[in-house]
Amino acid sequence: MEVVMREPGLKAQLFRFVDVLPALDGAHSVTDHLRQYVGPVRGKLPRLINGVLNYLPEDGWVGERFAEVTRWGVGRLARQFIAATDMRGVFAAVEKLRRKRLAFTLDLVGEAVLSEAEASAYQQRYLELIAQLCDRGVDWKTDPLIDHDHHGPLAKVNLSLKLSSLYSQFDPIDPAGTSAAVRERLRPIFRLAKARGALVNLDMEQYAFKNVTLRIFREILEEEEFCDWRDVGVVVQAYLRDSERDLWELSEWAVGRGSPVWVRLVKGAYWDYETTIAQQNDWPAPVFTSKPQSDANFERLTDFLLDHHDVLRPAIASHNVRSIAHALAAARVRNLPTGSVEFQMLYGMADEIHPALVEMGQRVRIYTPMGELLPGMAYLVRRLLENTSNESFLRAGFLEHAPEEQLLMNPMELIERDTVASARKLAGTLPAPDGFVNEPLSDFSRESARAAMHQALEQVARQLGETYPLVIGGKRVQTGGRIESINPSHCRQIVGSSGRAGVDQARAAVEIAKEAFAGWRVTPAQHRAAILSRCAEIMRRRRFELAAWEVYETGKQWREADADVAEAIDYCEYYGREMIRLSKPIRRDVAGEQNEYFYIPRGVAVTIAPWNFPLAILCGMTSAALAAGNTVVMKPAEQSPVIAAKLMEVFEQAGMPAGVVNYLPGVGEEIGPALVGHPDVEIIAFTGSRAVGLEIQRQAAQTPAGQDHVKRVITEMGGKNAIIVDESADLDEAVHGVVASAFGYAGQKCSACSRSIVLASIHDSFLARLVEVTKSVRIGPAEDPAAMVGPVIDQEARDRILRAIEKGKGEADLAYAADLGSLANEGWYIGAHIFSGMRPTASIAQEEIFGPVLAVMRASDLGEAIGIANGTPYALTGGIYSRSPANVERVRREMRVGNLYINRKITGALVDRQPFGGFKLSGIGSKAGGPDYLLQFLIPKTVTENTLRRGFAPEMSAVDAGAAGE
Ligand code: FDA
């Protein structure tokens, strides 16, 4: 631990090794992984360890013993923090604590609960734990120090519980549904605890779960059978900026309830996680960002708790001597009786502090985890991080022996010092004003975002059924025919209807766009970018409304719809900036010769978009063409003309000149050939199926009479994307990632996972877990935030997917087919389907289905898995779940896909961060949202001027670079 703390790189690698160790099978695998992990940081290891690693054989007697010693070492490390693996061990551990006059609270370390079967099993284990501990506790002699306070006897059996372990679909986006489901499983636990006189304390997990946890806590304790129960508590985390308000609300609520509850005050164990998630999503950090702020808040909240100790019974959980001393002093100032404040610490930590507090007559309770190493890994890693963190009191106090003045310093003084230092630091790191930043996704764990979405859904529901004519040259154009847009979640509900362009209107739109090109091409790039930025701004303002339209028109779940709107905003901001970058001419001058290289727009672009990202893809292709100075005829998918009409509104509101963008809903077969074949069309940007994409390529290759150019065709087509899972993978994460990638938005993404290739040794256990987890996935209408899988887009898609499933039954084993219940007649639903045991060449493993259908295949080794993954005509997305650095490296090199994801889901690419697009028959190899994308909409031009006049060459720097472009 000491070596590790000195070297952050080594610490990261060793913690990663500890994380993968329980999953490794055999001595060879252990040694091999250890070498892989410490390889890059070898130089940081003590010489002796380095020497051992150099000469260590992987197999044979020595290798086996080494693997054993390694496992023993990690096991010992785990046993320092996890008291026992079985009931006998638990009894021994808690009885030992009691002999030392220490109380306990027992925690059952839990695996990630991904399925309802797992949640039920967890509940059962808890019930057994309470029963067995209470039986055993009958024989425990009462110790007044730990079993009594000034109110009377205290529960001897005390348990801690994480609510997310009780419901596999625990999700703050649906607080009411989550609360109902969790309470269902919590009630028997509370009932038994109450009957047997045990105390149950709810732990607090990540910030996203905080409000729903507090809600469940309050709701269950308002139920009649628990409304006067006092042996119950909850955790408040002082590192959260919200914590003071939460505590205040809890106290008001407890006063109203009329019976006190316990509050365990902690600083919080997920600081690294919270700051990373906030940074990734561009959300404000919910936690304080300096340690003294957390410490100072802890002291403030301690004061609050002591002032309200009659309704919120205080448990001060800290290993920080300053925080503990503050609580002792604050209790003394208030003349509170000894025992009215309880001190709590974690098993295996700060053992030096317990006897001191016991000697002072204070009650100390030890949080005592039990369970196996594998499910306990997340807990173990949190403890290792805590013990080795630069900011940790334990490290400073007990390992580095920092001076007392520093350890016991008032955090408020440190905050003042920090504020000056961080103000200086910030000034140097502000982002450049023109820097692109992804639009943050909405955080639906926040009440404000949920309320805004509910309101938008209601508002949009009142506008369903309207009509949307074509817009050509800024004029509304009525057509004889109509396209009716239907809500796939409720197929009797009409979302709206649009005009239905015919061939004449298609031609008219191209001609108008051609006329508008004359003005738009000479509009400066900055000006074009400014209009696109205005579009982004309008979409930001209309964000929830646009998302609500997507929910109704394309059956997108809340998060999916929200992400689609955010992506559309990103494209407008990104391509505008990209064009400003590209509009600076490149100069390569030599004496007497001026050379300039710059880009000019091409002309009229036709954008043909799919329905599955109804705003983002249409807006992305269109805004790229516009940023580059081309004019556009937008042809949205037949299934999503209403959202496209909304996009047209946005362009108009932003001040796009008439004719620069035209809205041309129509049926592909009717107007597609007229648009693609039109001699005045220069660019066709298409995203959709392979068959249509290739047909467009073929048609565009013709040069009809009157056409004076070669058309540029940008096609993004399908995929048959694979996720490889190897034996070192974290199975929880792998199953979760595969389910999200395969069944999110009912698999209707070109990036979706439709094949999972699993190494033979874990194939069966992976498949069993996958099926179990998929059973728990909720299917339902898109407006219901609890549903993860919604409908497929229309009747035709449904029939096609059902045919593929039928065919699949002939070539593979159907491992799982979800039951639809009453939904079958409501909309176009198809439940998740999982097939296994097929040959890699079977059609179910080769053909794109575009629905919630997953093929799981077995591979004997990684080489075979990569071979299977690459063995389709597609190359779009792909992924691997592995904790073997060597395997990850090999997949990086050999897996032929446009977007490769490692240890995460394979959908959800972000503009600029993960430019998106495939090759082979998935597309032409370009990347939407990346630095090369706009080049396809532009023509590079070189101008060379001889500046030598009668032997006189003007100095180049004196010559103005001149305006680029046309
Ligand atoms: P110390 O004074 O060293 O504080 C460390 C803490 O400071 C970090 O854990 C973090 O919270 C905070 N911190 C570190 N760097 C920071 C920075 N740059 N800016 C702001 N803050 C920073 N935790 C939890 O989240 N949910 C729970 O349910 C429980 N339950 C629980 C029960 C019991 C009995 C105990 C003793 C502990 C918990 N914990 C917990 C864990 C607890 O959150 C963790 O042990 C403490 O954060 C460690 O704080 P100390 O006061 O001991 O140490």
Side-chain angles (χ1 to χ4, degrees), residues 435-723:
F436 169 80
V437 183
N438 289 103
E439 185 64 19
L441 302 180
S442 296
D443 178 0
F444 286 111
S445 72
R446 291 183 189 258
E447 166 63 24
S448 54
R450 291 195 302 271
M453 191 68 191
H454 276 300
Q455 199 186 0
L457 284 166
E458 279 169 26
Q459 229 168 43
V460 168
R462 288 195 289 274
Q463 297 167 38
L464 298 183
E466 289 180 9
T467 51
Y468 302 87
L470 319 186
V471 182
I472 300 177
K475 297 200 180 74
R476 268 53 194 162
V477 178
Q478 303 294 342
T479 53
R482 289 251 167 108
I483 295 179
E484 219 160 56
S485 171
I486 295 172
N487 181 348
S489 301
H490 307 282
C491 55
R492 281 171 285 279
Q493 185 175 58
I494 298 196
V495 177
S497 55
S498 74
R500 176 174 178 155
V503 170
D504 290 346
Q505 280 120 359
R507 290 198 185 120
V510 173
E511 274 147 36
I512 293 277
K514 191 179 174 191
E515 277 169 32
F517 180 59
W520 189 242
R521 70 200 281 235
V522 292
T523 305
Q526 273 85 352
H527 190 98
R528 300 196 298 254
I531 299 183
L532 288 174
S533 261
R534 273 208 294 277
C535 293
E537 197 43 52
I538 295 166
M539 288 195 277
R540 256 180 223 116
R541 280 204 305 271
R542 297 179 60 180
R543 172 152 192 174
F544 290 103
E545 179 220 326
L546 292 170
W549 280 110
E550 296 201 18
V551 169
Y552 290 124
E553 188 168 44
T554 52
K556 285 213 149 202
Q557 288 67 40
W558 289 21
R559 286 197 182 95
E560 303 275 355
D562 176 72
D564 194 55
V565 180
E567 190 178 337
I569 295 171
D570 281 353
Y571 282 128
C572 290
E573 297 282 13
Y574 180 79
Y575 289 139
R577 283 176 172 76
E578 274 296 287
M579 193 57 226
I580 293 173
R581 175 177 71 84
L582 292 171
S583 67
K584 296 190 182 68
I586 299 167
R587 290 279 291 267
R588 294 285 182 268
D589 298 343
V590 294
E593 183 183 284
Q594 181 183 308
N595 291 301
E596 208 170 55
Y597 179 89
F598 54 90
Y599 296 102
I600 58 173
R602 287 178 174 267
V604 175
V606 172
T607 54
I608 306 175
W611 46 264
N612 61 339
F613 291 89
L615 193 66
I617 295 184
L618 184 62
C619 179
M621 295 191 299
T622 304
S623 60
L626 293 170
N630 306 291
T631 52
V632 180
V633 176
M634 289 197 304
K635 198 212 95 45
E638 288 95 299
Q639 295 87 343
S640 56
V642 174
I643 297 160
K646 300 288 160 194
L647 178 62
M648 188 66 213
E649 272 172 34
V650 169
F651 283 133
E652 290 182 310
Q653 283 171 8
M656 203 61 84
V660 168
V661 192
N662 302 279
Y663 166 64
L664 197 81
V667 174
E669 290 82 4
E670 290 171 15
I671 55 168
L675 288 171
V676 172
H678 198 292
D680 288 333
V681 166
E682 298 258 354
I683 308 166
I684 298 135
F686 167 83
T687 304
S689 73
R690 170 173 144 187
V692 178
L694 295 180
E695 178 57 22
I696 288 177
Q697 289 275 3
R698 201 188 57 74
Q699 282 176 17
Q702 315 299 315
T703 41
Q707 181 173 320
D708 60 1
H709 55 272
V710 178
K711 286 176 180 153
R712 170 58 78 108
V713 185
I714 305 155
T715 41
E716 304 282 337
M717 300 175 291
K720 189 72 188 173
N721 311 305
I723 294 181

Side-chain angles (χ1 to χ4, degrees), residues 276-455:
T276 309
I277 293 294
Q279 275 170 16
Q280 277 183 2
N281 290 289
D282 231 317
W283 290 338
V287 290
F288 291 113
T289 46
S290 91
K291 165 80 163 49
Q293 286 176 309
S294 295
D295 289 341
N297 196 41
F298 191 86
E299 294 188 5
R300 259 196 311 277
L301 300 188
T302 301
D303 289 340
F304 183 96
L305 276 180
L306 298 192
D307 288 338
H308 297 81
H309 68 279
D310 47 338
V311 281
L312 302 180
R313 305 186 64 187
I316 303 299
S318 171
H319 315 98
N320 181 322
V321 175
R322 158 88 203 184
S323 308
I324 296 170
H326 168 266
L328 283 170
R332 193 178 296 168
V333 167
R334 287 166 178 80
N335 281 326
L336 299 185
T338 313
S340 48
V341 180
E342 176 166 300
F343 291 91
Q344 298 193 347
M345 282 165 229
L346 298 176
Y347 185 87
M349 286 174 61
D351 290 348
E352 298 86 341
I353 303 178
H354 316 152
L357 279 169
V358 171
E359 212 170 283
M360 291 164 79
Q362 299 296 332
R363 185 170 69 256
V364 179
R365 187 175 302 281
I366 305 298
Y367 186 97
T368 311
M370 75 162 287
E372 299 291 340
L373 183 54
L374 189 56
M377 190 48 81
Y379 181 83
L380 177 62
V381 169
R382 280 205 298 280
R383 294 295 79 82
L384 292 177
L385 280 173
E386 213 163 277
N387 275 281
T388 56
S389 151
N390 284 335
E391 303 278 13
S392 151
F393 180 91
L394 288 176
R395 175 175 170 174
F398 294 105
L399 288 160
E400 289 170 352
H401 305 293
E404 260 173 40
E405 309 80 72
Q406 181 191 325
L407 291 172
L408 300 181
M409 187 182 269
N410 184 344
M412 287 310 290
E413 280 175 38
L414 286 166
I415 289 176
E416 277 161 29
R417 254 197 251 163
D418 273 9
T419 320
V420 178
S422 60
R424 282 203 201 109
K425 211 162 108 195
L426 253 184
T429 56
L430 286 178
D434 60 344
F436 169 80
V437 183
N438 289 103
E439 185 64 19
L441 302 180
S442 296
D443 178 0
F444 286 111
S445 72
R446 291 183 189 258
E447 166 63 24
S448 54
R450 291 195 302 271
M453 191 68 191
H454 276 300
Q455 199 186 0

